[in-house]
Amino acid sequence: MPSIDAADLSADELDLLITHYLHRQAHVIGPGWEAIDATAAGVRDQLSKQIMATAGDLTTVDVWLMLFDSAHPCSQHRYDPLPEYVHDDEPLHIKFTMHRHVDGQQGADIGNCFTPLLTVLALYGGVARSLAFSADDPTLRGEGGPDRGIAITWEVENWEAEEVRRQEFIYTGDGDKRVPVLQSDTNPGYDAD
């Protein structure tokens, strides 16, 4: 499965994916492309809000994008070529981490790519999974690290996002021998593969 390191992610490259997708829609369906853009923006905002609301002191987010070659021939517009990875038949995997700042705001190691990445996900489709650990409440933090976590998986298709799985767990054990113990799972039969 192709993968991009969060440090190598480029907002310009993500914007190029967005531009090509919407340009193609303008040619294929005409003025209705604006409704797709607005719907995708709503999905992006929904995912952003949900990821931020459940983000902990440390959160890992995995995104699998179902990209395709969205370039469309046009005599009026010239865009840079799409990256080679859009020609792969497998999802593109991007993993990044988020952390809570002293002021309570979330920071991400993908910087200004967070919003365009979620826009690409909303347009092309795919899967997002966040795994968050919280330690805001001192009673939730043990000697070896956070004692509680939550994992949420969303599937995105046709400009809609659906939460398909939510898992909550606690950690037991000491030091390096700490292991997660599942407390609840809304969809134990779910398999993203």
Side-chain angles (χ1 to χ4, degrees):
M1 172 181 319
S3 183
I4 293 180
D5 187 87
D8 296 329
L9 198 57
S10 154
D12 289 340
E13 197 167 274
L14 293 169
D15 287 340
L16 183 64
L17 289 166
I18 295 165
T19 299
H20 273 281
Y21 186 97
L22 293 174
H23 179 248
R24 178 184 193 85
Q25 292 301 320
H27 279 277
V28 172
I29 64 170
W33 75 269
E34 293 162 327
I36 291 171
D37 186 26
T39 302
V43 169
R44 174 203 62 219
D45 294 346
Q46 170 195 351
L47 286 169
S48 177
K49 187 176 182 180
Q50 290 175 342
I51 290 170
M52 291 295 195
T54 58
D57 290 319
L58 179 62
T59 303
T60 300
V61 180
D62 289 281
V63 176
W64 293 270
L65 298 171
M66 301 300 295
L67 300 173
F68 60 89
D69 186 347
S70 58
H72 191 80
C74 177
S75 62
Q76 300 298 314
H77 301 101
R78 299 278 187 256
Y79 301 111
D80 288 339
L82 287 163
E84 283 302 314
Y85 55 72
V86 301
H87 303 289
D88 290 330
D89 290 334
E90 295 183 37
L92 176 68
H93 177 241
I94 300 167
K95 182 176 191 167
F96 63 94
T97 58
M98 300 173 65
H99 58 278
R100 190 181 318 277
H101 292 173
V102 174
D103 64 1
Q105 296 294 312
Q106 287 288 332
D109 65 356
I110 60 170
N112 65 348
C113 292
F114 181 73
T115 300
L117 175 61
L118 294 182
T119 303
V120 170
L121 176 61
L123 289 170
Y124 288 84
V127 174
R129 180 176 185 268
S130 69
L131 175 59
F133 300 98
S134 258
D136 289 338
D137 181 346
T139 63
L140 300 181
R141 189 170 186 81
E143 291 296 316
D147 287 330
R148 298 185 187 271
I150 185 169
I152 304 174
T153 304
W154 297 271
E155 288 185 352
V156 182
E157 186 176 17
N158 297 322
W159 318 294
E160 294 181 2
E162 177 185 6
E163 182 180 308
V164 294
R165 188 174 201 183
R166 181 180 291 247
Q167 298 169 293
E168 295 183 24
F169 49 92
I170 61 170
Y171 276 84
T172 63
D174 295 318
D176 293 341
K177 303 215 186 302
R178 294 176 62 76
V179 294
V181 177
L182 187 63
Q183 297 298 296
S184 66
D185 190 339
T186 60
N187 191 357
Y190 178 77
D191 184 11
D193 298 334

